[in-house]
């Protein structure tokens, strides 16, 4: 057990134990304000199924492994199991890697791909977790249909309550015929046999925000894929006042907040960051689509980072504004620990006097967190459901010993930071 920011204790199960496989697994980051577990019963079911059926070690793609339970399970059965790991989430990649190291499992037999990379040929088995977003799931099946020969087995682990006739039809339509196992620990394993026919990949969805003349295109796993989020809408209508030069769109999704920020602050450099690679790709696409580079400045005035919050930003980078519409779930789990991490990272990285501008559902009470971290919080706007809050970094060090901070060196050129330099 370990203390959280309020001095109470989280109790988190970390011992994975199924069919003789014993692992210690943590979510990513391992120190987080939640008591969520790093795997679920569907992971256990898939590993149990492989052991019960005496699955031999063949080239296997593992798709949507949350924090590496499936990968570590396979490598525990055979340390050189040839694996291709596909995930859209940076936190999944980092968590898997961390858990393999923790369990002394080598990563040498692993090929890592994101949800847009080309899948390798030669995959003989697929282990997959059903994602929450079914459009994304169909997209993933379409991708598999391009490389799987007819007869390849695809095992999909899911909660029994998520499995119905229409899901099995979706799988059949996008990859091949499917049937579900008996229920174990309220989960089932769907077994699909690829039919060897390649399906067309889905087109990105598009919508616009006419009053700001913004065109938005979204890949299948991007938040607000079909329309503007209502939280984002109130942010667009209430951008902060001031003169900002280096702005982070933290958890950018399709980039809508950062794109509009560039319209309001044409001198600024915008840094788009998201855990979802498809989100980062969509933000990049939308930057180009809306032609937001200011010709009075040199080069591209945006950077794009696939990252867990601000983890991998270069130490010296000091933005003067962070815009944030935080997530309140991770996969299936409802949680505010990512919001916590985003606020803490923003506090650490903002230059002195810099502003964190946040939108949230009123009932999430983000003001309590902001007050705790920044020692100040102002309500900028609100409607029945949402509230926009602002916190200013006004001290070099937080007063609280449990809020860890890095040094506070300010940088004069925010655009020279982080994820590759802007194009000249
Ligand atoms: C509520 S959505 C907001 C998207 C966009 N800014 C908007 O307003 O429409 C939250 C975003 O945070 C991203 N996210 C979740 N966890 C993250 C993390 N650990 N680091 C960075 N981004 C994360 C999600 O992928 C999602 O795009």
């Amino acid at each position: 057990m370990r203390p959280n920011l309020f001095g109470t204790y989280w109790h988190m199960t970390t011992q994975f134990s199924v069919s003789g496989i014993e692992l210690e697994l943590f979510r990513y980051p391992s120190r987080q304000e939640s008591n969520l577990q790093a795997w679920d019963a569907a992971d256990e079911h898939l590993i149990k199924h492989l052991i019960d059926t005496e699955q031999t070690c063949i080239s296997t793609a593992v798709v949507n492994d949350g924090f590496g339970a499936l990968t570590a399970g396979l490598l525990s059965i055979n340390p050189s199991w040839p694996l291709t790991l596909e995930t859209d989430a940076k936190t999944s990649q980092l968590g898997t890697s961390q858990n393999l190291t923790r369990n002394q499992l080598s990563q040498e037999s692993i090929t890592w791909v994101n949800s847009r990379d080309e899948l390798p040929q030669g995959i003989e088995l697929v282990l997959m977790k059903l994602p929450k977003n079914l459009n994304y799931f169909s997209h993933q099946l379409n991708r598999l249909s391009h490389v799987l020969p007819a007869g390849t087995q695809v095992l999909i682990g899911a909660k029994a309550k998520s499995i119905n006739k229409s899901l099995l039809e979706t799988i059949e339509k996008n990859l091949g015929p499917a049937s579900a196992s008996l229920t174990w620990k309220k989960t089932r394993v769907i077994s699909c046999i690829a039919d060897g026919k390649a399906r067309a990949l889905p087109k990105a969805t598009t919508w616009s925000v006419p009053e700001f003349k913004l065109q938005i295109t979204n890949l299948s796993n991007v938040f607000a894929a079909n329309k503007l989020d209502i939280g984002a809408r109130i942010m667009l209508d209430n951008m902060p006042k001031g003169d900002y030069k280096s702005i982070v769109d933290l958890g950018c999704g399709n980039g809508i907040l950062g794109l509009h920020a560039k319209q309001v602050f044409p001198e600024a450099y915008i840094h788009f960051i998201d855990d979802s690679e498809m989100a980062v790709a969509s933000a990049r696409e939308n930057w180009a689509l809306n032609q937001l580079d200011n010709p009075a400045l040199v080069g591209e005035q945006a950077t794009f980072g696939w990252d867990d919050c601000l983890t991998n930003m270069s130490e010296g980078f000091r933005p003067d504004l962070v815009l944030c519409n935080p997530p309140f779930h991770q996969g299936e789990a409802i949680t505010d620990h990512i919001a916590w991490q985003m606020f803490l990272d923003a506090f650490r990285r903002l230059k002195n006097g810099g502003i964190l501008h946040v939108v949230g559902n009123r009932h999430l009470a983000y003001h309590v967190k902001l007050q705790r971290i920044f020692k100040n919080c102002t309500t900028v706007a609100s409607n029945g459901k949402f509230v926009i809050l602002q916190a200013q970094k006004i001290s070099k060090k937080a007063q609280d010993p449990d809020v860890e901070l890095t040094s506070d060196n300010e940088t004069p050129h925010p655009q020279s930071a982080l994820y590759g330099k802007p194009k000249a």
Side-chain angles (χ1 to χ4, degrees), residues 91 222-224 228-229 231-232 249-257 273-276 279 307-310 325-330 338 341-342:
T91 41
V222 180
F223 176 82
L228 180 63
D229 172 56
D249 182 349
L250 181 52
C252 62
N254 49 45
I256 184 71
L257 303 181
I273 292 160
D274 204 287
D275 183 45
S276 156
D307 200 0
D308 170 35
C309 299
L310 303 182
N325 177 6
F328 48 88
H329 65 82
Q330 188 175 42
I338 303 168
Q341 194 191 334
M342 287 179 163

Side-chain angles (χ1 to χ4, degrees), residues 227-292:
K227 61 176 178 7
L228 180 63
D229 172 56
I230 38 178
R233 152 61 62 197
I234 156 163
M235 278 288 252
L236 295 183
D237 293 339
N238 292 281
M239 290 305 265
K241 308 271 180 293
D243 176 22
Y244 302 103
K245 292 283 185 320
S246 178
I247 301 174
V248 173
D249 182 349
L250 181 52
C252 62
N254 49 45
I256 184 71
L257 303 181
L259 299 176
H260 184 51
K262 181 65 178 171
Q263 294 178 319
V264 177
F265 307 108
E267 302 290 306
Y269 288 77
I270 317 286
H271 308 283
F272 295 89
I273 292 160
D274 204 287
D275 183 45
S276 156
E277 202 280 335
M278 280 195 178
V280 178
S282 294
R284 190 188 288 274
E285 171 79 23
N286 290 328
W287 179 268
L289 190 66
N290 290 284
Q291 301 182 343
L292 288 168

Side-chain angles (χ1 to χ4, degrees), residues 402-418:
D402 53 6
V403 179
E404 293 161 14
L405 295 168
T406 57
S407 67
D408 189 21
N409 310 314
E410 308 213 344
T411 41
H413 298 297
Q415 74 276 25
S416 69
L418 68 179

